[in-house]
């Protein structure tokens, strides 16, 4: 099944003049996963988006095509990331908007258990969900993922 997700991963990889294999080795991501993302048959999860953003030194918004600005952004020089900021920010945004997990789930057409597990840090959402949540709350994906304040 073809995903509707579209990203700038292939463009960035070509701009950096590296192969999928080289990107996989240097970032710790799977070569098959990179291929699937570029073909649009699968989507990276939130952690993988952060890794790509840091590797290419661009915003997560650019990776996810929510921005056309490919201006280099300083990112941590390490690729490993802690998803706890995402978990906290999702809950903070939900509470700030006076929403229960059920209400948020209904508003963005997701399941309440998924939101529950993301807030607990037990699961990681995919790229499409990150974009949906960022748009819903009117924030950048960088903010939601903890890559900016």
């Amino acid at each position: 099944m073809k995903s509707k997700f579209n990203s700038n991963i292939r463009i960035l990889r070509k701009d950096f003049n590296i192969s999928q294999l080289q990107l996989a080795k240097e970032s710790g991501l799977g070569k098959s996963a990179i291929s699937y993302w570029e073909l649009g048959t699968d989507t990276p999860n939130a952690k993988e988006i952060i890794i790509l953003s840091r590797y290419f030194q661009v915003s997560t918004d650019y990776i996810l095509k929510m921005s056309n600005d490919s201006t280099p952004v300083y990112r941590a020089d390490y690729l490993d990331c802690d998803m706890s900021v995402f978990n906290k920010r999702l809950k903070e945004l939900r509470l700030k908007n006076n929403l229960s997990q059920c209400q948020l789930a209904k508003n963005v057409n997701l399941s309440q258990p998924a939101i529950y597990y993301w807030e607990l840090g037990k699961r990681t959402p995919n790229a499409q969900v990150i974009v949906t949540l960022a748009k819903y709350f009117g924030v950048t994906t960088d903010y939601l993922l903890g890559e900016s304040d």
Side-chain angles (χ1 to χ4, degrees), residues 31-68:
K31 183 193 175 299
S32 296
I34 293 166
S35 176
Y36 292 142
W37 301 334
E38 290 185 5
L39 291 171
T41 57
D42 199 4
T43 62
N45 67 35
K47 192 171 185 174
E48 293 161 335
I49 293 164
I50 293 171
I51 291 169
L52 291 165
S53 163
R54 289 179 180 179
Y55 181 87
F56 290 117
Q57 301 287 301
V58 296
S59 71
T60 58
D61 285 322
Y62 181 74
I63 296 276
L64 298 171
K65 284 197 164 181
M66 289 187 63
S67 167
N68 292 326

Side-chain angles (χ1 to χ4, degrees), residues 91-135:
K91 186 172 185 175
E92 287 170 1
L93 287 165
R94 180 178 59 77
L95 294 174
K96 180 181 173 186
N97 287 274
N98 297 313
L99 297 168
S100 68
Q101 291 176 344
C102 287
Q103 290 169 317
L104 175 59
K106 184 178 178 182
N107 292 351
V108 294
N109 199 28
L110 296 168
S111 74
Q112 182 274 326
I115 292 168
Y116 171 78
Y117 285 118
W118 296 331
E119 287 184 1
L120 281 180
K122 301 287 185 189
R123 295 203 179 132
T124 305
N126 69 25
Q128 291 169 319
V129 170
I130 295 298
V131 168
T132 298
L133 291 170
K135 285 180 179 179

Side-chain angles (χ1 to χ4, degrees), residues 6 33 39 78-79 92:
N6 194 354
L39 291 171
Y78 55 91
L79 298 180
E92 287 170 1

Side-chain angles (χ1 to χ4, degrees), residues 132-143:
T132 298
L133 291 170
K135 285 180 179 179
Y136 179 79
F137 287 118
V139 297
T140 65
T141 59
D142 268 350
Y143 176 79

Side-chain angles (χ1 to χ4, degrees), residues 2-25:
K2 189 111 169 148
S3 169
K4 293 181 181 179
F5 174 74
N6 194 354
S7 76
N8 282 324
I9 298 168
R10 181 180 177 90
I11 292 167
L12 286 164
R13 189 176 57 74
K14 294 292 185 183
D15 287 349
F16 275 59
N17 197 28
I18 59 173
S19 66
Q20 290 178 346
L21 181 59
Q22 185 177 355
L23 174 58
K25 285 180 180 177

